[in-house]
Amino acid sequence: MTAVSAERDSARQEVPEQLRNDVKLLGEMLGTVLAESGGEELLADVEKLRRAVIGARDGSVTGEEITAIVAAWPLERAKQVARAFTVYFHLANLAEEHQRMRALRERDDAANPPRESLAAAVRAIRETDGEERLDELVAGMEFHPVLTAHPTEARRRAVSTSILRISAQLDAWHASHEGSTAAVEAHRRLLEEVDLLWRTSQLRYTKLDPLDEVRTALSAFDETIFSVIPQVYRSLDTAIDPEGAGARPPRARPFVRYGSWIGGDRDGNPYVTHDVTREAMLIQSEHVLRGLERACDGVARTLTAYSNLTPASPALLDALSVAKAGHPALTAEVEKRSPNEPHRQMLMLAAARLRATRERDADLAYPDADAFLADLRTVQESLVAAGALRQAYGELQHLVWQAESFGFHLAELEIRQHSEVHAAALAELRGGGALSERTEEVLATIRVIAWIQERFGVEACRRYIVSFTRSAEDIAAVYELASHALPSERVPVLDVIPLFETGADLDASPHVLDGMLKLPPVHKRLEETGRRVEVMLGYSDSAKDVGPVSATLRLYDAQARLAAWAREHDVRLTLFHGRGGSLGRGGGPASRALLAQAPGSVGGRFKVTEQGEVIFARYGQSAIARRHIEQVGHAVLMASTDAVQERERSAERRYRGHADTIAEAAQEAYLELINTEDFAVWFSRVSPLEELGELRLGSRPARRGAARGLGDLRAIPWVFAWTQTRVNLPGWYGLGTGLAAVEDLGMLQAAYREWPMFSSLLDNAEMSLAKTDRTIAERYLALGGRPELTERVLAEYDRTRELVLKVTGHSRLLENRAVLSRAVDLRNPYVDALSHLQLRALEALRGAEADALSAQDQQHLERLLLLSVNGVAAGLQNTG
C-alpha cells in the first residue's frame, strides 16, 4: 500500500458515521438517477472512471490508462460523466454541511462555550481584563461585512436552490424513524430532488446582469441573515449576563452592519449604471421591508397580553389614539381582531404601516426606519412599565435588533469607481466642451446617491470608494464632481474612501491620507463623525503583482503604518479589507486572519468583503451563518485586547528580520516567473483562462480593458484559472525560495509557533499545497510547450512543500487540521476525474489539429470543458 492510499484509507476511517451514511445515501440515489436517465451503461462508465482515479492514487492504475478511458468515450458521454461527478460534489458538499451543523449542535454547551465563540471571548476578556474593559470592548465592537458580486460563484442560482431543497428533504429523512411512512416519503422526495438536480443545467446560457446578482445575493438575506442576526446578539447578551438575559435591557448592542457593492461597484463594469444602482436599492428595500413586516406580524400574533394584567402606558394609548384619528377603518379592524390587547394592536398597526411603506402608500407609510423603531420602543417601554419584562426583552427585542441592524435599506449600497474615470470626467468638465457618455454617467451616479439618501436616509448610501487611489487629488476629485452634479444644497453626504491596491500605493498611503485630511469636505466629515476615517486595502491585485508572500508582508506593514498614522492624527480608523474567497486573493478563515493583523489596526472594528461563493458558503445554512459571525465577533474582541496585541508585537520584533528575508527572495522568484517573456501567452495555453468568460459567472468583464497582458487581467480569473490546473500557484509560489533563504530552521519553527502573522501565512500556503496535484498539474503545464517553465513551477512546488512541512513540523499536509485534511483527501480522486475530462477538452482545443475540428466537435469540447470547470470548482470548493 502506498503512502497516498494509506492516507486515504485513514481519512475514510476518520469520517463520522453519520456523514458516511449521508454520502452513501445520496451517492446511491445519484446512481439510481444515472441508471434511470442514461441507462446502466452510463452508471458503469462513471464507476469505471471512479475506480480508476482511486486506483491512480495508490499506484495500481496509471495516468495513461485513465487518459485512454476518457479518450474512448464519445464527447456526449464524456459530458454526461462530467455532469455526474459535478452533481456528486454538490451532494457531498451538502452532506458535509449537515455534518458541520451536527458538530455545532453537539458542541453547544452553555457551561463550556465552544472555542472561537462570543461566549468564549467574553469569558476570556472578563478573566484577564475585567468587567469594565469587557463592557468597553463590547460597546465599541463593529463587524461590517460587504457583499460583492465578484464573479466567483460558479453555481447557477437554480442549482443552489435545488441543493437547498435536497437539504430540507435530508433534514426530513433524519427526523423520521426507519420504516415509518414519513421516512418512506422523505426518501421518495429526496430521490425526486436528486433527479431534478441531475436534470438541471449546470451551466448558464445567458450572462448575468447586475440586478440578477442583487437578487441572487439577497436570497442569503431572506434565508438566513435576517433571522440569524438577532440570535447572535442574544448569544452575546446571554454570555455577558446569563441570569438576566431576556428580562432586562440588553447589554449587547447591535454590532453587525451589512454593506453591498452589488449594483454599486462600477469599476471596470459598464453594465452597472445609475439606473442599476437605483433599482438595486429598491430591491434591497423590498426585501428588508418584507422581512420586517413578517417579523413584526409574527410578534404581534403572539403578544396576546390582556390589558387588565398588562395595562398600556399613557404613551402607548396616545399613539393608538393618533392612529385611530388618522386611520379609523384600519384601527377599527385591529381592535376587532384584538380587543383589550393594546400592545398587540400597536404591533399589528406597525406591520400594516410596513406593508404600506413597501407598497408606496404615502398616507400610511413610515417616513423612515427611525419612526418604526420609535413605535417598537413605545411598545417595549409600555411592557416594562406594566412589569412584563420578558415580553419587552424577548422576541420584541429581536425585532428591535433587526430594525436597528438593517433599517429600511437592508445594507448600505457602496459606490466604487476607478480614479482614472474621475480624472477624465473632471478634465471634460473643466474643458467646457460636450460631455462624454461616461462623464454623464459619473454625474448621474452622484445624483442617484442623493436620491437614495433623500428616500432612505444618509446611511443607505454614503461611501464612495476610489480604486487605485494614488494621491489626495483622487479623493478631492469625487467632491468636485459632486459639485458639478447638483446644486450645493442638494449635494449628498459623501465619505470618499481611498483604495490602495498595489505595493507602491500601500507604501505611499500615509502620505496620501495626510493630504486627504487637508481637504475641506473631509475635514467637515471628521467633525460630523467623531473623526472617523475609513481606508480600503486591496488584497487581490497586490498578491497578483508581487506574489503571496511579499503581498502578505506589505499589507501587514501598511496596516501598522496606518494604525500609527491614525494615532498621530487622533483619528478613529477602520480598515476595510478587500479579501477574496480564495487563498491567492487574501481569503481563508476571516477569524484567524483577524488575529494575525498588525497590532492596533483592528481597534474593535472589522470591515471585509464577502464575495461570490463565500456568501453562500457562510450564509447558506443558519447554523453555519451564526457560527461564522460568532467567530468573527470573537476575533474582533480578542484582537483588540492588549494581551493579543503585545504577543503580536513581541513576535514581530523577534522574527521580522527573517520574514523580510523570506519576502525578498519569494518576490524575486515570483517576479522572475511572471516577467518571463510571453508568460501571459503560456498561461492562457496551460489553463482554461480564455474559456472562463463563457461560464457567465457574473456581469463584470474578466479584464479591465482591451489589452491581453497580465496587468489588465483581474485577480479573480487569474486565481480561478490556476485552481483549475490543480497548480494553485497564487497561493504558494515563491514561499519555498523564501524559506530556503533563511538557513535557521529552528528560528523558522519558532516563528511559526509564536507569530500569528507568520503561522497564518504558512497555514494558508499549506492549504493551497494540499489542493495541488503535482501529477495532473504537470499535464496542464505541458500544454504550454515550454518545458523550462514547467520545470521551474514544479521545482518551486517541491521546494515549498518540503520546507512548509519542515517548518510546521507536520509529516503530511494539513496534519493538524483533521476535518479539512479528511475532506481534501477524500475529494481529490474525484476532482482528478474531472481534471482528466477537462484535459481531454483542453488538449484537443489547444492541440495542433484544433483548426481541423468540426463546428459540432468544437462546441462539444467547449461544453465539456465548462462542465468540468464547474465540477472542479465544486470539488475544490473555491473558484477565485
Side-chain angles (χ1 to χ4, degrees):
M1 179 181 291
T2 67
V4 172
S5 62
E7 285 181 13
R8 178 174 171 79
D9 287 344
S10 173
R12 190 184 293 112
Q13 291 165 11
E14 292 171 4
V15 174
E17 182 180 4
Q18 187 63 67
L19 173 57
R20 190 185 301 115
N21 291 341
D22 283 352
V23 171
K24 181 181 178 184
L25 171 70
L26 295 172
E28 288 175 348
M29 287 186 167
L30 177 59
T32 299
V33 167
L34 293 178
E36 291 176 349
S37 173
E40 292 293 339
E41 297 83 1
L42 172 59
L43 180 58
D45 284 341
V46 170
E47 277 297 300
K48 184 177 183 179
L49 181 57
R50 187 184 73 85
R51 288 193 299 269
V53 291
I54 291 174
R57 288 270 162 174
D58 63 24
S60 62
V61 177
T62 66
E64 290 76 12
E65 289 175 300
I66 299 175
T67 300
I69 292 171
V70 170
W73 290 328
L75 286 171
E76 190 60 40
R77 174 49 53 89
K79 289 193 297 180
Q80 290 177 317
V81 174
R83 178 195 292 270
F85 277 96
T86 300
V87 172
Y88 170 79
F89 276 128
H90 290 320
L91 297 175
N93 292 344
L94 175 61
E96 287 184 348
E97 265 190 4
H98 277 252
Q99 176 58 31
R100 189 176 173 197
M101 290 186 286
R102 275 191 293 271
L104 289 172
R105 287 195 296 268
E106 290 166 3
R107 294 175 196 155
D108 187 9
D109 181 351
N112 298 288
R115 64 183 184 83
E116 297 183 352
S117 64
L118 287 166
V122 167
R123 175 178 289 186
I125 295 169
R126 179 174 276 146
E127 289 175 353
T128 58
D129 295 49
E131 197 72 22
E132 185 176 342
R133 178 60 174 155
L134 172 63
D135 288 343
E136 181 184 330
L137 287 172
V138 168
M141 177 169 55
E142 297 175 13
F143 173 37
H144 193 165
V146 179
L147 309 181
T148 79
H150 285 33
T152 61
E153 173 57 81
R155 292 185 310 196
R156 290 181 62 218
R157 188 176 176 188
V159 172
S160 297
T161 54
S162 177
I163 293 167
L164 286 175
R165 291 195 302 271
I166 295 172
S167 177
Q169 293 306 320
L170 190 58
D171 280 335
W173 164 262
H174 288 147
S176 62
H177 64 269
E178 188 175 355
S180 66
T181 55
V184 171
E185 176 61 10
H187 190 278
R188 183 196 68 77
R189 287 285 292 115
L190 256 179
L191 195 53
E192 178 185 348
E193 292 296 348
V194 171
D195 178 78
L196 187 55
L197 177 60
W198 163 253
R199 295 175 187 279
T200 299
S201 173
Q202 300 293 311
L203 301 176
R204 296 185 180 97
Y205 289 93
T206 58
K207 189 173 181 64
L208 284 175
D209 69 38
L211 294 179
D212 290 330
E213 294 171 328
V214 172
R215 296 184 181 96
T216 297
L218 289 186
S219 65
F221 171 82
D222 297 338
E223 296 289 339
T224 61
I225 293 172
F226 185 71
S227 59
V228 160
I229 286 297
Q231 296 173 16
V232 171
Y233 298 159
R234 180 66 73 190
S235 174
L236 176 58
D237 189 60
T238 302
I240 296 171
D241 180 9
E243 297 301 321
R248 53 155 174 77
R251 290 181 62 184
R253 52 176 289 282
F255 64 88
V256 182
R257 292 290 186 278
Y258 279 87
S260 176
W261 280 12
I262 311 174
D265 179 12
R266 58 247 303 129
D267 176 15
N269 190 345
Y271 306 109
V272 177
T273 65
H274 66 283
D275 286 330
V276 165
T277 298
R278 182 181 186 276
E279 189 64 25
M281 179 51 69
L282 290 173
I283 293 170
Q284 286 187 188
S285 179
E286 167 82 9
H287 279 257
V288 74
L289 285 169
R290 283 187 183 277
L292 289 169
E293 182 187 338
R294 283 194 300 269
C296 188
D297 187 61
V299 177
R301 288 175 184 276
T302 59
L303 190 56
T304 53
Y306 188 57
S307 57
N308 283 1
L309 289 174
T310 314
S313 67
L316 178 59
L317 293 174
D318 286 347
L320 289 170
S321 297
V322 169
K324 188 170 187 176
H327 308 283
L330 175 61
T331 51
E333 179 187 343
V334 166
E335 288 172 356
K336 182 179 179 181
R337 289 174 58 190
S338 305
N340 302 313
E341 295 171 344
H343 299 92
R344 188 184 191 198
Q345 290 172 12
M346 190 66 187
L347 289 177
M348 292 173 70
L349 288 169
R353 294 192 68 186
L354 288 169
R355 182 165 58 255
T357 306
R358 178 169 54 81
E359 295 174 349
R360 304 293 302 278
D361 177 357
D363 185 46
L364 184 58
Y366 279 113
D368 51 40
D370 287 341
F372 172 55
L373 271 166
D375 279 353
L376 296 184
R377 291 191 173 110
T378 297
V379 174
Q380 194 171 52
E381 289 162 6
S382 176
L383 288 166
V384 170
L389 298 179
R390 296 196 179 280
Q391 303 310 313
Y393 299 119
E395 291 303 301
L396 178 58
Q397 181 59 47
H398 285 196
L399 179 58
V400 170
W401 277 328
Q402 287 167 321
E404 289 175 329
S405 297
F406 302 111
F408 282 178
H409 59 277
L410 192 154
E412 181 187 349
L413 190 56
E414 300 189 354
I415 307 301
R416 183 173 75 140
Q417 183 56 281
H418 200 290
S419 58
E420 291 179 358
V421 173
H422 300 144
L426 276 181
E428 288 184 15
L429 288 160
R430 291 166 180 166
L435 300 182
S436 66
E437 184 178 342
R438 190 170 73 170
T439 296
E440 292 283 11
E441 176 58 34
V442 171
L443 299 177
T445 296
I446 293 171
R447 296 182 192 115
V448 163
I449 296 172
W451 177 84
I452 290 172
Q453 291 187 2
E454 290 168 5
R455 172 83 182 273
F456 298 101
V458 170
E459 292 304 309
C461 185
R462 62 179 170 83
R463 288 178 168 87
Y464 196 119
I465 294 126
V466 180
S467 300
F468 287 93
T469 299
R470 297 207 164 123
S471 69
E473 285 71 27
D474 291 331
I475 303 300
V478 178
Y479 291 111
E480 185 177 344
L481 286 165
S483 71
H484 286 284
L486 289 162
S488 58
E489 68 275 9
R490 290 203 56 219
V491 169
V493 173
L494 291 174
D495 289 323
V496 184
I497 298 167
L499 167 52
F500 301 111
E501 299 179 78
T502 68
D505 293 343
L506 289 169
D507 293 341
S509 56
H511 174 71
V512 174
L513 294 177
D514 284 340
M516 178 174 148
L517 289 191
K518 296 174 183 176
L519 299 175
V522 174
H523 186 72
K524 180 174 182 290
R525 286 298 290 158
L526 284 175
E527 292 178 348
E528 293 169 347
T529 63
R531 299 191 64 76
R532 293 180 71 111
V533 169
E534 190 170 308
V535 174
M536 184 171 183
L537 304 177
Y539 285 60
S540 303
D541 284 290
S542 58
K544 183 168 76 75
D545 289 344
V546 297
V549 181
S550 187
T552 299
L553 265 290
R554 282 192 174 191
L555 285 160
Y556 184 88
D557 287 343
Q559 293 163 16
R561 284 195 300 270
L562 291 169
W565 175 87
R567 289 192 297 272
E568 180 184 344
H569 291 85
D570 188 28
V571 160
R572 292 185 64 202
L573 176 69
T574 297
L575 291 179
F576 180 8
H577 301 269
R579 290 158 49 88
S582 65
L583 299 172
R585 295 182 50 242
S591 56
R592 196 168 75 241
L594 249 170
L595 293 168
Q597 301 297 303
S601 65
V602 178
R605 298 176 292 279
F606 184 55
K607 183 175 180 181
V608 66
T609 52
E610 298 196 314
Q611 306 179 355
E613 68 196 5
V614 170
I615 295 173
F616 293 96
R618 291 174 176 167
Y619 300 111
Q621 300 282 357
S622 293
I624 293 172
R626 177 174 172 178
R627 175 62 173 163
H628 164 61
I629 298 170
E630 286 226 15
Q631 283 181 305
V632 173
H634 168 275
V636 169
L637 289 171
M638 297 305 297
S640 305
T641 62
D642 293 340
V644 169
Q645 293 180 67
E646 181 51 41
R647 181 185 67 178
E648 184 73 25
R649 285 192 193 94
S650 176
E652 185 188 5
R653 284 193 294 269
R654 287 195 298 276
Y655 306 117
R656 182 51 197 258
H658 296 289
D660 288 337
T661 300
I662 294 168
E664 183 178 350
Q667 180 175 328
E668 185 178 342
Y670 181 83
L671 293 179
E672 185 180 350
L673 175 69
I674 68 167
N675 290 333
T676 302
E677 186 178 358
D678 291 331
F679 177 83
V681 175
W682 177 77
F683 174 47
S684 67
R685 288 192 62 80
V686 305
S687 71
L689 175 66
E690 299 307 322
E691 289 82 6
L692 291 181
E694 295 303 312
L695 268 180
R696 301 177 175 89
L697 298 182
S699 66
R700 195 170 72 157
R703 296 180 184 271
R704 283 192 165 89
R708 308 303 293 174
L710 285 185
D712 72 295
L713 179 66
R714 293 187 182 277
I716 293 166
W718 163 255
V719 173
F720 194 174
W722 279 119
T723 301
Q724 290 291 317
T725 65
R726 308 292 295 281
V727 179
N728 289 320
L729 181 143
W732 55 263
Y733 195 90
L735 178 58
T737 296
L739 293 173
V742 177
E743 298 179 357
D744 189 341
L745 178 60
M747 182 67 75
L748 291 174
Q749 290 172 332
Y752 176 74
R753 291 192 303 270
E754 299 170 17
W755 191 6
M757 190 283 295
F758 189 66
S759 61
S760 178
L761 170 64
L762 263 66
D763 287 345
N764 285 342
E766 187 178 20
M767 190 189 302
S768 281
L769 291 166
K771 291 186 177 183
T772 299
D773 186 280
R774 192 188 192 285
T775 303
I776 290 178
E778 188 169 7
R779 281 190 62 193
Y780 278 94
L781 297 176
L783 292 171
R786 295 186 62 179
E788 78 283 6
L789 289 182
T790 297
E791 184 180 342
R792 185 186 300 178
V793 170
L794 294 178
E796 183 63 20
Y797 166 79
D798 293 337
R799 185 182 303 113
T800 303
R801 187 179 189 280
E802 177 188 357
L803 289 173
V804 164
L805 289 175
K806 284 184 177 179
V807 173
T808 59
H810 299 160
S811 61
R812 61 183 178 88
L813 295 172
L814 301 179
E815 183 179 50
N816 65 330
R817 301 172 73 182
V819 174
L820 181 59
S821 176
R822 178 184 70 217
V824 170
D825 287 344
L826 291 174
R827 286 165 181 278
N828 272 339
Y830 301 105
V831 181
D832 294 349
L834 286 158
S835 293
H836 281 286
L837 289 160
Q838 187 176 119
L839 278 163
R840 174 182 174 182
L842 265 183
E843 286 169 347
L845 292 168
R846 301 282 192 271
E849 299 180 6
D851 292 339
L853 290 170
S854 68
Q856 185 178 40
D857 281 351
Q858 174 96 10
Q859 185 180 47
H860 280 309
L861 285 164
E862 288 175 351
R863 193 63 59 192
L864 172 60
L865 179 63
L866 295 179
L867 280 167
S868 64
V869 164
N870 197 295
V872 170
L876 295 176
Q877 293 189 296
N878 64 336
T879 55

